[in-house]
């Protein structure tokens, strides 16, 4: 009876997961479908297959400028967020200070704050300091938004490294800075690259913060939002969205692969079994 109930519960759970995935990703899958439709309207039935909307992406000066702005801002924000994430997570684990733990908790706090609140707060702040809406303001805002992700990734990576490695380096006379630079950072390189890639994706796709902080140079999400006001531009927007989805999926998958490889490399090896150890000792004595 219990086995039957377990199987029935597993079926209901599987059906729930499938329904949840369909509800979550079906609207996203409709964008690539309609991007190849030979019609301005996103509706069924489909009118035919075409690559015209993808061809319109080339030679668009406004689109090119927005894309370059997003790439530059994303690279700068990802670099800043990754450096801050490395520092905050390392000090949280090895600084042994209440201040370091408090800073780590504060750094992860923006992920719980609504984006509208963050955008308005940053807008007030940059106006108070006289910076105003600009590319620098967007970079600072994106660092704040991407910082929780980099802190979580780097903290899990530093925590996965055996503490004996750091202690051995310190016992051999290395300073804290030398241990961090020559030991901890090389061991954490896959996680650093993963954190940078995910921070870049967060910055590249961010819209709410950019909406409040953008000046005269819009990013790609702002350009897409401005084009939605024109019905004739909808197929081009869907073609652009499909391209962004494909690139984002590749970058996110590569980041996850790097992160898991780093965690697997840091996992301690299984201790030798007694029979295996005895066999090796007998072989050694026989030689």
């Amino acid at each position: 009876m219990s086995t039957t109930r377990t199987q029935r519960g597993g079926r209901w759970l599987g059906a729930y997961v499938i329904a949840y995935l369909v509800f979550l990703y079906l609207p996203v899958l409709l964008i690539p479908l309609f991007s190849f439709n030979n019609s301005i309207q996103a509706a069924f039935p489909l009118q035919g297959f075409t690559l015209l909307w993808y061809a319109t992406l080339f030679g668009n000066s406004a689109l090119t400028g927005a894309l370059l702005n997003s790439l530059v801002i994303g690279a700068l924000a990802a670099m800043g967020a990754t450096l801050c994430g490395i520092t905050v997570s390392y000090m949280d684990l090895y600084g042994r200070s209440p201040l370091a733990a408090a800073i780590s908790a504060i750094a992860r706090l923006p992920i719980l704050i609504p984006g509208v609140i963050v955008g308005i707060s940053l807008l007030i702040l940059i106006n108070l300091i006289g910076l105003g809406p600009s590319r620098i303001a967007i970079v600072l805002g994106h660092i704040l938004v991407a910082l929780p992700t980099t802190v979580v990734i780097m903290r899990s990576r530093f925590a996965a490294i055996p503490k004996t490695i750091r202690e051995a380096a310190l016992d051999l006379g290395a300073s804290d800075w030398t241990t961090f630079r020559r030991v901890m950072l090389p061991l954490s390189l896959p996680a650093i690259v993963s954190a940078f890639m995910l921070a870049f994706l967060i910055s590249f796709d961010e819209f709410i913060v950019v909406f409040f902080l953008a000046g005269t140079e819009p990013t790609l999400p702002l350009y897409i939002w401005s084009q939605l006001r024109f019905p004739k531009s909808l197929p081009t927007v869907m073609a652009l969205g499909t391209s962004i989805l494909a690139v984002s999926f590749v970058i996110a998958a590569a980041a996850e692969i790097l992160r898991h490889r780093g965690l697997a490399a840091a996992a301690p090896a299984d201790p030798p079994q007694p029979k295996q150890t005895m066999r090796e000792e007998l072989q050694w004595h026989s030689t």
Side-chain angles (χ1 to χ4, degrees):
M1 181 69 67
S2 60
T3 304
T4 304
R5 291 180 178 178
T6 302
Q7 293 177 351
R8 186 179 303 172
R11 292 170 184 168
W12 279 108
L13 180 60
Y16 169 78
V17 171
I18 294 175
Y20 175 78
L21 292 177
V22 169
F23 175 78
L24 186 63
Y25 291 107
L26 182 60
V28 178
L29 295 178
L30 290 178
I31 295 178
L33 179 64
F34 287 119
S35 68
F36 295 103
N37 185 30
N38 190 15
S39 176
I40 296 178
Q41 296 181 352
F44 291 103
L46 301 179
Q47 301 299 319
F49 179 83
T50 181
L51 295 175
L52 176 63
W53 315 123
Y54 288 89
T56 57
L57 298 178
F58 300 95
N60 190 331
S61 59
L63 173 60
T64 303
L67 176 60
L68 291 178
N69 286 334
S70 292
L71 292 176
V72 173
I73 292 172
L76 294 176
M79 187 180 303
T82 304
L83 291 176
C84 293
I86 292 172
T87 306
V88 170
S89 57
Y90 187 81
M91 292 303 299
D92 182 21
L93 288 174
Y94 300 104
R96 296 179 180 178
S97 170
L99 179 61
I103 293 176
S104 177
I106 294 174
R108 287 173 284 179
L109 188 60
I111 198 173
L112 303 176
I113 303 176
V116 176
I117 304 300
V118 175
I120 295 175
S121 303
L122 290 175
L123 178 61
I124 295 174
L125 178 62
I126 63 173
N127 286 331
L128 288 176
I129 64 178
L131 187 60
S134 61
R135 182 182 295 184
I136 299 177
I138 298 176
V139 171
L140 296 177
H142 283 191
I143 290 176
L144 178 64
V145 173
L147 184 59
T149 300
T150 59
V151 170
V152 170
I153 293 175
M154 295 310 305
R155 194 180 188 283
S156 63
R157 182 65 183 96
F158 285 136
I161 299 176
K163 295 183 178 180
T164 53
I165 296 178
R166 181 176 180 272
E167 293 172 355
L170 295 175
D171 291 340
L172 292 173
S175 62
D176 289 334
W177 168 245
T178 302
T179 302
F180 173 73
R181 181 173 55 91
R182 301 288 297 273
V183 178
M184 304 302 289
L185 282 184
L187 291 175
S188 305
L189 185 59
I192 294 174
V193 178
S194 175
F196 177 87
M197 296 171 70
L198 291 179
F200 176 83
L201 278 183
I202 293 173
S203 173
F204 190 84
D205 298 333
E206 178 60 36
F207 170 76
I208 299 178
V209 173
V210 177
F211 183 80
F212 288 96
L213 301 181
T216 58
E217 299 178 351
T219 60
L220 193 58
L222 275 183
Y223 172 81
I224 294 175
W225 177 79
S226 65
Q227 294 301 306
L228 291 177
R229 295 176 295 176
F230 308 103
K232 293 184 178 180
S233 301
L234 182 59
T236 304
V237 169
M238 288 190 293
L240 180 59
T242 302
S243 303
I244 295 175
L245 281 175
V247 175
S248 299
F249 177 80
V250 172
I251 295 177
E256 281 298 303
I257 291 173
L258 287 173
R259 188 175 68 88
H260 284 290
R261 284 185 178 179
L263 292 176
D270 295 334
Q273 300 297 326
K275 293 182 179 180
Q276 182 180 356
T277 304
M278 186 178 298
R279 188 182 300 110
E280 292 177 353
E281 291 181 357
L282 291 175
Q283 291 177 355
W284 183 82
H285 285 294
S286 64
T287 57

